Amino acid sequence: MSADPIIRIRDLETRFGTHTVHEHLDLDVERGEVLGVVGPSGTGKSVLLRAIVGLKHPSAGSIEVFGRKLDTLGDEERRSLERRWGVMFQDGALFSNLTVRENVMVPMKEHTNLGPKLSAELADMKIRLAGLEPDAGDKFPSDLSGGMRKRAALARALALDPELLFLDEPTAGLDPITAAGFDTLLRQLQKSLGLSVFLVTHDVDTLNAVCDRIAVLGEKKVLAIGTIDELRAFDHPWVQEYFGGPRGRAATGH
């Protein structure tokens, strides 16, 4: 891993009206790691992801991605930076009126000048990379199972060969076997493509199978960050219950 973090957040504050979600939040995501982000409901895990990718404007503080402060960039620089990351939103957020192939081609149309034929061929490659059968490209999201929709959304997130991947609850709503298959795929892709991954999840199995480190959000900031074993030793009631409770122990074999 590089000494230079791929994401660097300092003194972040995010608010909705008078409600403060984050305050004085600091976080580094190292290049080449899978960082899991957990915390009780309402601690702003998805809000933090949205702030990093520019969908939620912070009230204060700084966010750097690839060493660039996002709020200082012009439109063209910003678009150039956005090409280097991919986002998979919580429910997949696929366009229901487009086929899977057309969904995967959307970022290509937005950010490149590739022709339709080449874009379609690249989209089919990403669809296979995400573990779907070749014929999935012609299907609509409504034709797919929950697990297949997640993989289609992953294929779209990988459309531009990103260095950095943002995943929001990628295994939510999946049965344990399908979720485990997704975790295995994600870890394989991360290693083979050299990805850095920012992963919001509540799934202890995913944390154990995929993540190098875990950041725990709470009390409007990052309460703790480390490996599962390090967090299990952290003296905080929610952290103790989450990692030391029955589900946490079962997931990690303790």
Side-chain angles (χ1 to χ4, degrees), residues 21-22 30 37 55 67 69 86 109-110 126 132 134 146 160 162 164 193 195 213 236 238 249 251:
V21 181
H22 304 128
E30 303 297 342
V37 179
L55 296 175
K69 285 192 176 180
K109 287 181 177 176
E110 188 178 345
K126 304 300 180 185
L132 290 170
L160 299 177
L164 174 59
L193 301 176
L195 298 168
R213 292 191 304 155
H236 184 279
W238 188 87
R249 290 199 307 273

PDB file of all heavy atoms in Angstrom, residues 21-22 30 37 55 67 69 86 109-110 126 132 134 146 160 162 164 193 195 213 236 238 249 251:
ATOM      1  N   VAL A  21     -25.037  15.417  10.728  1.00  0.00           N
ATOM      2  CA  VAL A  21     -24.784  13.973  10.595  1.00  0.00           C
ATOM      3  C   VAL A  21     -23.337  13.647  10.968  1.00  0.00           C
ATOM      4  O   VAL A  21     -23.070  12.690  11.700  1.00  0.00           O
ATOM      5  CB  VAL A  21     -25.085  13.497   9.156  1.00  0.00           C
ATOM      6  CG1 VAL A  21     -24.851  11.991   9.023  1.00  0.00           C
ATOM      7  CG2 VAL A  21     -26.510  13.847   8.763  1.00  0.00           C
ATOM      8  N   HIS A  22     -22.396  14.421  10.424  1.00  0.00           N
ATOM      9  CA  HIS A  22     -20.970  14.231  10.719  1.00  0.00           C
ATOM     10  C   HIS A  22     -20.383  15.545  11.230  1.00  0.00           C
ATOM     11  O   HIS A  22     -20.759  16.616  10.757  1.00  0.00           O
ATOM     12  CB  HIS A  22     -20.193  13.823   9.457  1.00  0.00           C
ATOM     13  CG  HIS A  22     -20.717  12.607   8.785  1.00  0.00           C
ATOM     14  ND1 HIS A  22     -21.032  12.574   7.444  1.00  0.00           N
ATOM     15  CD2 HIS A  22     -21.001  11.368   9.263  1.00  0.00           C
ATOM     16  CE1 HIS A  22     -21.480  11.370   7.124  1.00  0.00           C
ATOM     17  NE2 HIS A  22     -21.478  10.620   8.208  1.00  0.00           N
ATOM     18  N   GLU A  30      -6.574   3.804   2.273  1.00  0.00           N
ATOM     19  CA  GLU A  30      -5.272   3.545   1.663  1.00  0.00           C
ATOM     20  C   GLU A  30      -5.450   2.966   0.256  1.00  0.00           C
ATOM     21  O   GLU A  30      -6.410   2.238  -0.017  1.00  0.00           O
ATOM     22  CB  GLU A  30      -4.467   2.565   2.520  1.00  0.00           C
ATOM     23  CG  GLU A  30      -4.259   3.009   3.957  1.00  0.00           C
ATOM     24  CD  GLU A  30      -3.448   4.277   4.077  1.00  0.00           C
ATOM     25  OE1 GLU A  30      -2.750   4.639   3.103  1.00  0.00           O
ATOM     26  OE2 GLU A  30      -3.509   4.926   5.140  1.00  0.00           O
ATOM     27  N   VAL A  37     -17.157   0.145   5.928  1.00  0.00           N
ATOM     28  CA  VAL A  37     -17.692   1.222   6.760  1.00  0.00           C
ATOM     29  C   VAL A  37     -18.976   0.723   7.411  1.00  0.00           C
ATOM     30  O   VAL A  37     -19.926   0.341   6.720  1.00  0.00           O
ATOM     31  CB  VAL A  37     -17.967   2.492   5.929  1.00  0.00           C
ATOM     32  CG1 VAL A  37     -18.540   3.605   6.803  1.00  0.00           C
ATOM     33  CG2 VAL A  37     -16.688   2.968   5.245  1.00  0.00           C
ATOM     34  N   LEU A  55     -22.148  13.905  -4.365  1.00  0.00           N
ATOM     35  CA  LEU A  55     -23.607  13.996  -4.426  1.00  0.00           C
ATOM     36  C   LEU A  55     -24.200  14.714  -3.216  1.00  0.00           C
ATOM     37  O   LEU A  55     -25.378  15.068  -3.208  1.00  0.00           O
ATOM     38  CB  LEU A  55     -24.222  12.592  -4.542  1.00  0.00           C
ATOM     39  CG  LEU A  55     -23.864  11.838  -5.815  1.00  0.00           C
ATOM     40  CD1 LEU A  55     -24.412  10.421  -5.768  1.00  0.00           C
ATOM     41  CD2 LEU A  55     -24.392  12.564  -7.051  1.00  0.00           C
ATOM     42  N   GLY A  67      -5.575  12.611  -4.373  1.00  0.00           N
ATOM     43  CA  GLY A  67      -4.734  13.762  -4.063  1.00  0.00           C
ATOM     44  C   GLY A  67      -5.300  15.101  -4.494  1.00  0.00           C
ATOM     45  O   GLY A  67      -4.620  16.128  -4.392  1.00  0.00           O
ATOM     46  N   LYS A  69      -8.401  18.009  -4.133  1.00  0.00           N
ATOM     47  CA  LYS A  69      -9.534  18.495  -3.352  1.00  0.00           C
ATOM     48  C   LYS A  69     -10.714  18.734  -4.288  1.00  0.00           C
ATOM     49  O   LYS A  69     -10.629  19.535  -5.214  1.00  0.00           O
ATOM     50  CB  LYS A  69      -9.175  19.791  -2.617  1.00  0.00           C
ATOM     51  CG  LYS A  69      -8.291  19.579  -1.412  1.00  0.00           C
ATOM     52  CD  LYS A  69      -8.203  20.844  -0.572  1.00  0.00           C
ATOM     53  CE  LYS A  69      -7.393  20.568   0.692  1.00  0.00           C
ATOM     54  NZ  LYS A  69      -7.271  21.767   1.543  1.00  0.00           N
ATOM     55  N   GLY A  86     -15.897   4.115  -9.774  1.00  0.00           N
ATOM     56  CA  GLY A  86     -17.192   3.534 -10.111  1.00  0.00           C
ATOM     57  C   GLY A  86     -18.026   3.437  -8.855  1.00  0.00           C
ATOM     58  O   GLY A  86     -17.493   3.232  -7.760  1.00  0.00           O
ATOM     59  N   LYS A 109     -21.162   6.234 -22.523  1.00  0.00           N
ATOM     60  CA  LYS A 109     -21.745   7.318 -23.323  1.00  0.00           C
ATOM     61  C   LYS A 109     -21.477   8.674 -22.674  1.00  0.00           C
ATOM     62  O   LYS A 109     -21.255   9.677 -23.355  1.00  0.00           O
ATOM     63  CB  LYS A 109     -23.258   7.104 -23.476  1.00  0.00           C
ATOM     64  CG  LYS A 109     -23.623   5.967 -24.416  1.00  0.00           C
ATOM     65  CD  LYS A 109     -25.125   5.821 -24.540  1.00  0.00           C
ATOM     66  CE  LYS A 109     -25.497   4.727 -25.529  1.00  0.00           C
ATOM     67  NZ  LYS A 109     -26.955   4.496 -25.591  1.00  0.00           N
ATOM     68  N   GLU A 110     -21.510   8.680 -21.345  1.00  0.00           N
ATOM     69  CA  GLU A 110     -21.360   9.937 -20.604  1.00  0.00           C
ATOM     70  C   GLU A 110     -19.916  10.440 -20.611  1.00  0.00           C
ATOM     71  O   GLU A 110     -19.668  11.644 -20.671  1.00  0.00           O
ATOM     72  CB  GLU A 110     -21.837   9.728 -19.158  1.00  0.00           C
ATOM     73  CG  GLU A 110     -21.910  10.991 -18.335  1.00  0.00           C
ATOM     74  CD  GLU A 110     -22.435  10.728 -16.938  1.00  0.00           C
ATOM     75  OE1 GLU A 110     -23.003   9.641 -16.693  1.00  0.00           O
ATOM     76  OE2 GLU A 110     -22.251  11.604 -16.089  1.00  0.00           O
ATOM     77  N   LYS A 126     -17.702  -6.570 -19.391  1.00  0.00           N
ATOM     78  CA  LYS A 126     -17.920  -6.229 -17.982  1.00  0.00           C
ATOM     79  C   LYS A 126     -19.011  -7.113 -17.371  1.00  0.00           C
ATOM     80  O   LYS A 126     -18.935  -7.486 -16.205  1.00  0.00           O
ATOM     81  CB  LYS A 126     -18.326  -4.754 -17.835  1.00  0.00           C
ATOM     82  CG  LYS A 126     -17.353  -3.773 -18.433  1.00  0.00           C
ATOM     83  CD  LYS A 126     -15.967  -3.868 -17.818  1.00  0.00           C
ATOM     84  CE  LYS A 126     -15.026  -2.869 -18.452  1.00  0.00           C
ATOM     85  NZ  LYS A 126     -13.653  -2.981 -17.983  1.00  0.00           N
ATOM     86  N   LEU A 132     -21.958 -12.764 -14.680  1.00  0.00           N
ATOM     87  CA  LEU A 132     -23.245 -13.035 -15.311  1.00  0.00           C
ATOM     88  C   LEU A 132     -23.048 -13.793 -16.615  1.00  0.00           C
ATOM     89  O   LEU A 132     -22.011 -13.686 -17.263  1.00  0.00           O
ATOM     90  CB  LEU A 132     -23.986 -11.729 -15.601  1.00  0.00           C
ATOM     91  CG  LEU A 132     -24.510 -10.968 -14.380  1.00  0.00           C
ATOM     92  CD1 LEU A 132     -25.006  -9.586 -14.794  1.00  0.00           C
ATOM     93  CD2 LEU A 132     -25.625 -11.744 -13.679  1.00  0.00           C
ATOM     94  N   PRO A 134     -23.506 -14.587 -20.586  1.00  0.00           N
ATOM     95  CA  PRO A 134     -23.498 -13.651 -21.719  1.00  0.00           C
ATOM     96  C   PRO A 134     -24.894 -13.159 -22.119  1.00  0.00           C
ATOM     97  O   PRO A 134     -25.042 -12.006 -22.529  1.00  0.00           O
ATOM     98  CB  PRO A 134     -22.864 -14.469 -22.847  1.00  0.00           C
ATOM     99  CG  PRO A 134     -21.995 -15.467 -22.144  1.00  0.00           C
ATOM    100  CD  PRO A 134     -22.720 -15.810 -20.876  1.00  0.00           C
ATOM    101  N   GLY A 146     -32.486 -10.922  -7.567  1.00  0.00           N
ATOM    102  CA  GLY A 146     -31.814  -9.891  -6.780  1.00  0.00           C
ATOM    103  C   GLY A 146     -30.307  -9.962  -6.901  1.00  0.00           C
ATOM    104  O   GLY A 146     -29.629  -8.942  -7.085  1.00  0.00           O
ATOM    105  N   LEU A 160     -15.868   1.809 -16.689  1.00  0.00           N
ATOM    106  CA  LEU A 160     -14.775   2.667 -17.161  1.00  0.00           C
ATOM    107  C   LEU A 160     -13.416   2.237 -16.617  1.00  0.00           C
ATOM    108  O   LEU A 160     -12.485   3.041 -16.562  1.00  0.00           O
ATOM    109  CB  LEU A 160     -15.063   4.125 -16.761  1.00  0.00           C
ATOM    110  CG  LEU A 160     -16.343   4.732 -17.341  1.00  0.00           C
ATOM    111  CD1 LEU A 160     -16.556   6.139 -16.805  1.00  0.00           C
ATOM    112  CD2 LEU A 160     -16.293   4.745 -18.866  1.00  0.00           C
ATOM    113  N   PRO A 162     -12.369   1.506 -13.441  1.00  0.00           N
ATOM    114  CA  PRO A 162     -11.994   2.426 -12.366  1.00  0.00           C
ATOM    115  C   PRO A 162     -10.842   1.899 -11.511  1.00  0.00           C
ATOM    116  O   PRO A 162     -10.599   0.696 -11.457  1.00  0.00           O
ATOM    117  CB  PRO A 162     -13.277   2.521 -11.533  1.00  0.00           C
ATOM    118  CG  PRO A 162     -13.927   1.173 -11.731  1.00  0.00           C
ATOM    119  CD  PRO A 162     -13.654   0.828 -13.169  1.00  0.00           C
ATOM    120  N   LEU A 164     -10.925   2.989  -8.296  1.00  0.00           N
ATOM    121  CA  LEU A 164     -11.580   3.107  -6.993  1.00  0.00           C
ATOM    122  C   LEU A 164     -13.051   2.748  -7.154  1.00  0.00           C
ATOM    123  O   LEU A 164     -13.716   3.217  -8.079  1.00  0.00           O
ATOM    124  CB  LEU A 164     -11.425   4.550  -6.492  1.00  0.00           C
ATOM    125  CG  LEU A 164     -12.128   4.974  -5.214  1.00  0.00           C
ATOM    126  CD1 LEU A 164     -11.689   4.138  -4.020  1.00  0.00           C
ATOM    127  CD2 LEU A 164     -11.843   6.464  -4.950  1.00  0.00           C
ATOM    128  N   LEU A 193      -7.777  -6.742 -10.378  1.00  0.00           N
ATOM    129  CA  LEU A 193      -7.800  -5.435 -11.027  1.00  0.00           C
ATOM    130  C   LEU A 193      -7.049  -4.366 -10.227  1.00  0.00           C
ATOM    131  O   LEU A 193      -6.939  -3.224 -10.682  1.00  0.00           O
ATOM    132  CB  LEU A 193      -9.254  -4.977 -11.247  1.00  0.00           C
ATOM    133  CG  LEU A 193     -10.140  -5.901 -12.090  1.00  0.00           C
ATOM    134  CD1 LEU A 193     -11.564  -5.370 -12.147  1.00  0.00           C
ATOM    135  CD2 LEU A 193      -9.570  -6.045 -13.504  1.00  0.00           C
ATOM    136  N   LEU A 195      -7.947  -2.912  -7.385  1.00  0.00           N
ATOM    137  CA  LEU A 195      -8.888  -1.863  -6.983  1.00  0.00           C
ATOM    138  C   LEU A 195      -8.696  -1.431  -5.532  1.00  0.00           C
ATOM    139  O   LEU A 195      -8.301  -2.225  -4.680  1.00  0.00           O
ATOM    140  CB  LEU A 195     -10.328  -2.367  -7.136  1.00  0.00           C
ATOM    141  CG  LEU A 195     -10.809  -2.751  -8.531  1.00  0.00           C
ATOM    142  CD1 LEU A 195     -12.133  -3.489  -8.443  1.00  0.00           C
ATOM    143  CD2 LEU A 195     -10.954  -1.502  -9.390  1.00  0.00           C
ATOM    144  N   ARG A 213      -9.545  -3.458   6.351  1.00  0.00           N
ATOM    145  CA  ARG A 213      -9.784  -2.693   7.577  1.00  0.00           C
ATOM    146  C   ARG A 213     -11.247  -2.266   7.607  1.00  0.00           C
ATOM    147  O   ARG A 213     -11.932  -2.271   6.587  1.00  0.00           O
ATOM    148  CB  ARG A 213      -8.913  -1.428   7.628  1.00  0.00           C
ATOM    149  CG  ARG A 213      -7.434  -1.661   7.776  1.00  0.00           C
ATOM    150  CD  ARG A 213      -6.714  -0.338   8.099  1.00  0.00           C
ATOM    151  NE  ARG A 213      -7.008   0.675   7.087  1.00  0.00           N
ATOM    152  CZ  ARG A 213      -6.955   2.002   7.313  1.00  0.00           C
ATOM    153  NH1 ARG A 213      -6.639   2.452   8.513  1.00  0.00           N
ATOM    154  NH2 ARG A 213      -7.221   2.862   6.340  1.00  0.00           N
ATOM    155  N   HIS A 236     -15.962  -0.060  23.391  1.00  0.00           N
ATOM    156  CA  HIS A 236     -17.132   0.776  23.121  1.00  0.00           C
ATOM    157  C   HIS A 236     -18.335  -0.157  23.027  1.00  0.00           C
ATOM    158  O   HIS A 236     -18.261  -1.203  22.367  1.00  0.00           O
ATOM    159  CB  HIS A 236     -16.948   1.553  21.811  1.00  0.00           C
ATOM    160  CG  HIS A 236     -18.069   2.499  21.526  1.00  0.00           C
ATOM    161  ND1 HIS A 236     -19.271   2.095  20.967  1.00  0.00           N
ATOM    162  CD2 HIS A 236     -18.182   3.840  21.750  1.00  0.00           C
ATOM    163  CE1 HIS A 236     -20.065   3.151  20.839  1.00  0.00           C
ATOM    164  NE2 HIS A 236     -19.440   4.218  21.305  1.00  0.00           N
ATOM    165  N   TRP A 238     -21.297  -0.366  21.434  1.00  0.00           N
ATOM    166  CA  TRP A 238     -21.829  -0.819  20.146  1.00  0.00           C
ATOM    167  C   TRP A 238     -20.805  -1.685  19.423  1.00  0.00           C
ATOM    168  O   TRP A 238     -21.164  -2.716  18.829  1.00  0.00           O
ATOM    169  CB  TRP A 238     -22.215   0.384  19.267  1.00  0.00           C
ATOM    170  CG  TRP A 238     -22.949  -0.057  18.023  1.00  0.00           C
ATOM    171  CD1 TRP A 238     -24.295  -0.264  17.891  1.00  0.00           C
ATOM    172  CD2 TRP A 238     -22.365  -0.393  16.757  1.00  0.00           C
ATOM    173  NE1 TRP A 238     -24.585  -0.703  16.617  1.00  0.00           N
ATOM    174  CE2 TRP A 238     -23.422  -0.791  15.895  1.00  0.00           C
ATOM    175  CE3 TRP A 238     -21.059  -0.401  16.253  1.00  0.00           C
ATOM    176  CZ2 TRP A 238     -23.219  -1.172  14.582  1.00  0.00           C
ATOM    177  CZ3 TRP A 238     -20.853  -0.793  14.935  1.00  0.00           C
ATOM    178  CH2 TRP A 238     -21.924  -1.162  14.112  1.00  0.00           C
ATOM    179  N   ARG A 249     -19.285 -13.170  16.197  1.00  0.00           N
ATOM    180  CA  ARG A 249     -18.427 -14.320  16.537  1.00  0.00           C
ATOM    181  C   ARG A 249     -18.575 -15.433  15.508  1.00  0.00           C
ATOM    182  O   ARG A 249     -17.607 -16.071  15.123  1.00  0.00           O
ATOM    183  CB  ARG A 249     -18.750 -14.840  17.937  1.00  0.00           C
ATOM    184  CG  ARG A 249     -18.329 -13.895  19.053  1.00  0.00           C
ATOM    185  CD  ARG A 249     -18.235 -14.611  20.397  1.00  0.00           C
ATOM    186  NE  ARG A 249     -19.448 -15.334  20.733  1.00  0.00           N
ATOM    187  CZ  ARG A 249     -20.493 -14.802  21.362  1.00  0.00           C
ATOM    188  NH1 ARG A 249     -20.475 -13.526  21.715  1.00  0.00           N
ATOM    189  NH2 ARG A 249     -21.570 -15.511  21.630  1.00  0.00           N
ATOM    190  N   ALA A 251     -19.403 -15.135  12.345  1.00  0.00           N
ATOM    191  CA  ALA A 251     -18.810 -14.742  11.060  1.00  0.00           C
ATOM    192  C   ALA A 251     -17.306 -14.918  11.060  1.00  0.00           C
ATOM    193  O   ALA A 251     -16.699 -15.269  10.042  1.00  0.00           O
ATOM    194  CB  ALA A 251     -19.160 -13.302  10.738  1.00  0.00           C
TER     195      ALA A 251
END
